[in-house]
Amino acid sequence: MSNEMEQLRKQLDEVNLEILESINRRAELVQQIGQVKSKQSTKKFDPVREREMLDLITANNNGPFEDSTINHIFKEIFKAGLELQEDDHRKALLVSRKKKPENTVVDIKGTKVGNGNVNYVFGPCAVESYEQTAAVAESLKSKGLKLMRGGAFKPRTSPYDFQGLGLEGLQILKRVADEYDLAVISEIVTPKDLELAVDYLDVIQIGARNMQNFELLKAAGDVDKPVLLKRGLSATISEFINAAEYIISRGNGNIILCERGIRTYETATRNTLDISAVPVLKQETHLPVMVDVTHSTGRRDLLLPTAKAALAIGADGVMAEVHPDPAVALSDSAQQMDIPTFDSFFKELKDIENRLK
Ligand code: PEP
Ligand code: MN
């Protein structure tokens, strides 16, 4: 290397270190200003002040950098300073593992979800009658299962389709829960029904179509009941996690996440089961993660293979729909299992569960 080049590089290194010292000195000042702002509870970001600083800097810019380049560089420096001012807890979500490294275990009437064991939620798509619901409950009880699902408020694509029995559906679920010693899970679609529902249900389900119904999420965060939150039809994992954050931010941390397939261009299945969402969610959050194989596939023949995949990939549970006579079901007739199919499905799944242990 020429002597001249060596000299220039040495000078460059010195300037780098000067810049380093200067931006860290700036960072210290920014932190001190942040503390003053905290005491005064003033907002950390002040656009008027930023504009003044940029104006002063560009007014003194003698090049060779263009003003726009200088603006860009300083805006990055300002941004880094602002991040330094903001409390750490504002950056780490309450649902994140960063915030809470250990798993959240949701206790549903004594059944623990998220403690490393696999849990199952089975039941009809919709509660249609006492007899229909009790027939499924009977089958669950005979298998030693404890968690039953059944929709009372059904969010349907068409307003002319069966909308669920509403309150009567909740009453049937409660009766069946008491008679068969089960815990019941059902979807609530509007904040005003939440208060009513807590008297009948053990878990509040928030469905895919309502994953970004922020008022409903807030209301679910205010009740003292576990919430099973489904991933939205086209929600990214980040949107899903933020939806859970709405609930926990109001004080209710008993949340189970449920991957139920997302909408893609694929038409072979009703939705595309995003199986890798399970380990992503488990890494990024401390919440239990279940997989709904019914709504993700929309195909009875895929329930078992996808449920196996869910167990193998580390899901905390599997949800699937069971109906005593799916052919005449008032909703999701094509994908619910009848009881004999359910019997063999469950037997095979248990075999897999034991082999994976
Ligand atoms: C359901 O579980 O009854 C349901 C409607 O599912 P999703 O919200 O996932 O479509
Ligand atoms: Mn259904």
Side-chain angles (χ1 to χ4, degrees):
M1 216 188 306
S2 73
N3 220 2
E4 189 192 359
M5 182 67 140
E6 227 172 279
Q7 271 303 316
L8 288 170
R9 287 199 161 160
K10 198 160 164 272
Q11 285 180 50
L12 200 58
D13 281 339
E14 279 166 17
V15 174
N16 281 342
L17 294 179
E18 278 170 29
I19 295 174
L20 176 68
E21 204 193 315
S22 295
I23 55 169
N24 276 325
R25 195 145 40 85
R26 186 184 191 281
E28 278 168 17
L29 288 168
V30 162
Q31 276 178 322
Q32 286 171 27
I33 291 172
Q35 281 159 10
V36 177
K37 281 185 176 173
S38 287
K39 277 192 214 123
Q40 300 171 344
S41 358
T42 17
K43 279 222 171 73
K44 300 283 187 318
F45 178 64
D46 181 350
V48 177
R49 171 70 187 142
E50 279 216 359
R51 171 46 57 217
E52 279 171 10
M53 291 195 291
L54 285 176
D55 286 349
L56 180 68
I57 291 160
T58 44
N60 285 281
N61 179 30
N62 300 319
F65 277 132
E66 301 269 356
D67 282 355
S68 60
T69 310
I70 289 294
N71 254 308
H72 179 74
I73 292 170
F74 272 88
K75 275 182 74 86
E76 286 302 313
I77 294 174
F78 295 171
K79 202 168 110 211
L82 192 65
E83 278 173 14
L84 210 58
Q85 278 186 348
E86 278 170 351
D87 301 339
D88 261 357
H89 81 260
R90 282 203 47 201
K91 276 184 277 162
L93 297 179
L94 298 172
V95 293
S96 69
R97 276 229 187 258
K98 230 195 264 166
K99 192 81 193 167
K100 175 175 173 271
E102 67 278 13
N103 289 333
T104 286
V105 178
V106 178
D107 189 323
I108 308 169
K109 259 185 159 175
T111 298
K112 307 259 194 290
V113 181
N115 68 351
N117 291 325
V118 177
N119 282 281
Y120 297 101
V121 179
F122 298 120
C125 182
V127 174
E128 298 169 10
S129 67
Y130 168 77
E131 290 71 22
Q132 169 247 14
T133 310
V136 180
E138 179 80 52
S139 169
L140 259 66
K141 197 173 165 75
S142 73
K143 296 174 177 63
L145 291 164
K146 289 283 182 195
L147 307 179
M148 176 157 164
R149 59 151 289 139
F153 299 92
K154 296 299 301 173
R156 304 302 300 282
T157 301
S158 164
Y160 306 115
D161 286 340
F162 176 58
Q163 302 286 306
L165 297 180
L167 176 60
E168 191 193 341
L170 297 182
Q171 288 163 341
I172 292 172
L173 281 171
K174 172 98 181 107
R175 180 176 161 198
V176 166
D178 291 344
E179 289 176 3
Y180 293 86
D181 189 25
L182 299 171
V184 283
I185 301 174
S186 196
E187 178 168 356
I188 296 300
V189 294
T190 169
K192 78 169 166 42
D193 289 335
L194 263 181
E195 265 180 60
L196 172 85
V198 293
D199 293 336
Y200 297 92
L201 300 177
D202 301 294
V203 180
I204 305 291
Q205 179 170 317
I206 295 187
R209 286 153 198 81
N210 276 311
M211 191 209 79
Q212 282 190 319
N213 181 338
F214 299 115
E215 294 310 312
L216 183 62
L217 296 172
K218 287 185 210 166
D222 289 336
V223 298
D224 183 20
K225 257 312 152 184
V227 177
L228 185 137
L229 176 67
K230 291 200 152 189
R231 181 173 181 181
L233 301 179
S234 311
T236 63
I237 289 178
S238 163
E239 287 163 343
F240 191 17
I241 290 175
N242 273 288
E245 186 72 9
Y246 264 88
I247 301 170
I248 202 173
S249 69
R250 305 286 284 218
N252 186 358
N254 285 315
I255 306 163
I256 301 166
L257 301 173
C258 184
E259 162 62 37
R260 48 78 72 206
I262 45 173
R263 184 163 287 181
T264 68
Y265 50 80
E266 184 52 71
T267 55
T269 45
R270 179 169 164 181
N271 290 290
T272 299
L273 175 59
D274 181 8
I275 197 72
S276 57
V278 176
V280 174
L281 291 167
K282 292 213 55 91
Q283 276 166 34
E284 294 199 3
T285 81
H286 49 77
L287 301 174
V289 181
M290 285 202 175
V291 173
D292 172 348
V293 291
T294 300
H295 296 97
S296 50
T297 63
R299 284 175 52 165
R300 215 173 276 132
D301 59 329
L302 298 182
L303 299 179
L304 187 59
T306 47
K308 286 180 186 174
L311 297 193
I313 210 162
D316 296 287
V318 170
M319 176 188 275
E321 288 182 347
V322 180
H323 190 289
D325 190 356
V328 297
L330 296 177
S331 57
D332 282 352
S333 159
Q335 57 213 260
Q336 304 198 57
M337 288 179 273
D338 62 17
I339 308 273
T341 309
F342 174 45
D343 291 345
S344 53
F345 167 89
F346 187 63
K347 195 170 161 299
E348 284 204 53
L349 202 52
K350 275 310 256 188
D351 278 351
I352 295 287
E353 188 195 319
N354 290 329
R355 271 196 271 159
L356 285 169
K357 270 182 188 159

